[in-house]
Amino acid sequence: MPLSPAGETATRVLITGASGFVGRRLARRLSVEGAGYEVLSLGGPGHADQGRVVDLTDAAATADVVAELRPDAIVHLAAFSSVGQGAGRPHEVWASNFDATRNLVEAASALEQPPRFVFASTAEVYGRGFNDGPRDEDAALAPASTYARSKVACEYMLTDLAASLDVVILRLFNHTGPGQGEAFVVPTLAAQLARLDPAVAGEVRVGNLEACRDFTDVEDMVDAYAAVLADPDGAAGVRIYNVGSGRTRSIQSVLDVLIRHHGGEVVVTQDPARMRASDVPVNPGVFDRFRGRYGWAPVRDFDATIAAIYDHERGRAQGASQGA
């Protein structure tokens, strides 16, 4: 069946990690009436509210659910995605990222009509290579964390095991928005500020504020996934794309926007525990390949994204204080 939302038959899209930060947004986007998709949400243990539940590290269970659902496309978002937390939990990272991806792609390859496979990788695969300048998709890989190494391994594994599939690997640069976990830099800064009383001076503990990152609003990233699903290549093989805004900004500039939005006096204290040994000063990317293929570019103002994250965290903080 052609992967086109314009067709009479809906394209069946299986989203792993459907209960996650990106997954729930993508599921909502594709579920809009008239979009042409039937969304098959797959959550991990503990997320029974989000469609089917399966432990992707269980090969037999994964094969059974994929055979039952028979998707036309799979968007594989489920992962252990925190670089910092992953440093101390390598077994969990490798099981959640590599083992689960292998099980899923083997189950997909076994179907009579193999589905399209969209894999969420990361710009972290370039590691310290960013110190040599902007990275395009042909640049050498130099992963500097357990998380990044597991994603590189997945990319190689997909090249070897997914010969019958149309595979799109997206090397995603930093993306954020309201509701992202505090393991990530913008939400953790926003959450600390949101818990302070603007009328009283308070402290925020930070890592490396000089680091510069390519940030994109999460809804723009969802647009990127939607563009991939709407315009398939159709041929078996692996295609790799960088996806990001093309604009880097310092963590200091993000904190400045948050403090202005907070409106109170803030003491900023550097916390050695928040410094990452693998940090690179800046992570510039080259995004011509993806934009040329899919015509995508981010459209949302990132200062507005930062403010929205603060407002979300402020609401959470106020709700927590009222419930105490």
Side-chain angles (χ1 to χ4, degrees), residues 227-283:
V228 171
L229 289 169
D231 186 18
D233 184 86
V238 176
R239 283 157 292 282
I240 299 175
Y241 299 97
N242 288 342
V243 187
S245 71
R247 301 182 300 271
T248 58
R249 60 185 300 163
S250 69
I251 307 303
Q252 178 70 66
S253 74
V254 171
L255 180 59
D256 290 343
V257 173
L258 287 167
I259 290 174
R260 287 198 301 270
H261 203 62
H262 172 67
E265 183 180 348
V266 177
V267 176
V268 178
T269 303
Q270 191 167 76
D271 181 356
R274 296 174 184 267
M275 302 294 287
R276 277 173 46 191
S278 61
D279 260 350
V280 296
V282 62
N283 71 336

Side-chain angles (χ1 to χ4, degrees), residues 201-215:
E203 181 188 43
V204 173
R205 301 184 71 82
V206 303
N208 180 11
L209 294 178
E210 295 181 0
C212 295
R213 296 292 178 260
D214 185 298
F215 285 107

Side-chain angles (χ1 to χ4, degrees), residues 184-222:
F184 299 89
V185 62
V186 183
T188 195
L189 294 174
Q192 289 184 73
L193 283 165
R195 289 191 284 265
L196 301 177
D197 182 348
V200 180
E203 181 188 43
V204 173
R205 301 184 71 82
V206 303
N208 180 11
L209 294 178
E210 295 181 0
C212 295
R213 296 292 178 260
D214 185 298
F215 285 107
T216 300
D217 186 288
V218 63
E219 296 293 348
D220 281 319
M221 283 299 190
V222 170

Side-chain angles (χ1 to χ4, degrees), residues 118-206:
V118 182
F119 176 67
S121 188
T122 173
E124 295 277 345
V125 299
Y126 298 117
R128 294 186 179 89
F130 284 117
N131 294 332
D132 296 326
R135 303 288 85 186
D136 65 15
E137 293 85 350
D138 298 320
L141 305 183
S145 67
T146 303
Y147 167 67
R149 286 187 287 272
S150 73
K151 287 292 188 175
V152 169
C154 286
E155 290 193 12
Y156 286 134
M157 181 264 294
L158 286 168
T159 300
D160 289 339
L161 299 187
S164 64
L165 305 182
D166 171 12
V167 178
V168 175
I169 294 172
L170 302 180
R171 290 177 179 163
L172 304 160
F173 283 62
N174 301 65
H175 48 288
T176 189
Q180 189 178 35
E182 289 188 43
F184 299 89
V185 62
V186 183
T188 195
L189 294 174
Q192 289 184 73
L193 283 165
R195 289 191 284 265
L196 301 177
D197 182 348
V200 180
E203 181 188 43
V204 173
R205 301 184 71 82
V206 303

Side-chain angles (χ1 to χ4, degrees), residues 65-152:
V65 76
V66 170
E68 177 187 344
L69 295 176
R70 295 177 293 103
D72 302 304
I74 296 174
V75 182
H76 184 32
L77 304 177
F80 191 114
S81 57
S82 169
V83 174
Q85 293 179 356
R89 301 157 69 181
H91 294 287
E92 187 176 345
V93 172
W94 278 92
S96 298
N97 294 354
F98 184 80
D99 294 348
T101 302
R102 180 186 59 201
N103 292 340
L104 190 62
V105 76
E106 288 182 342
S109 299
L111 294 179
E112 183 178 353
Q113 292 185 313
R116 195 145 184 254
F117 198 93
V118 182
F119 176 67
S121 188
T122 173
E124 295 277 345
V125 299
Y126 298 117
R128 294 186 179 89
F130 284 117
N131 294 332
D132 296 326
R135 303 288 85 186
D136 65 15
E137 293 85 350
D138 298 320
L141 305 183
S145 67
T146 303
Y147 167 67
R149 286 187 287 272
S150 73
K151 287 292 188 175
V152 169

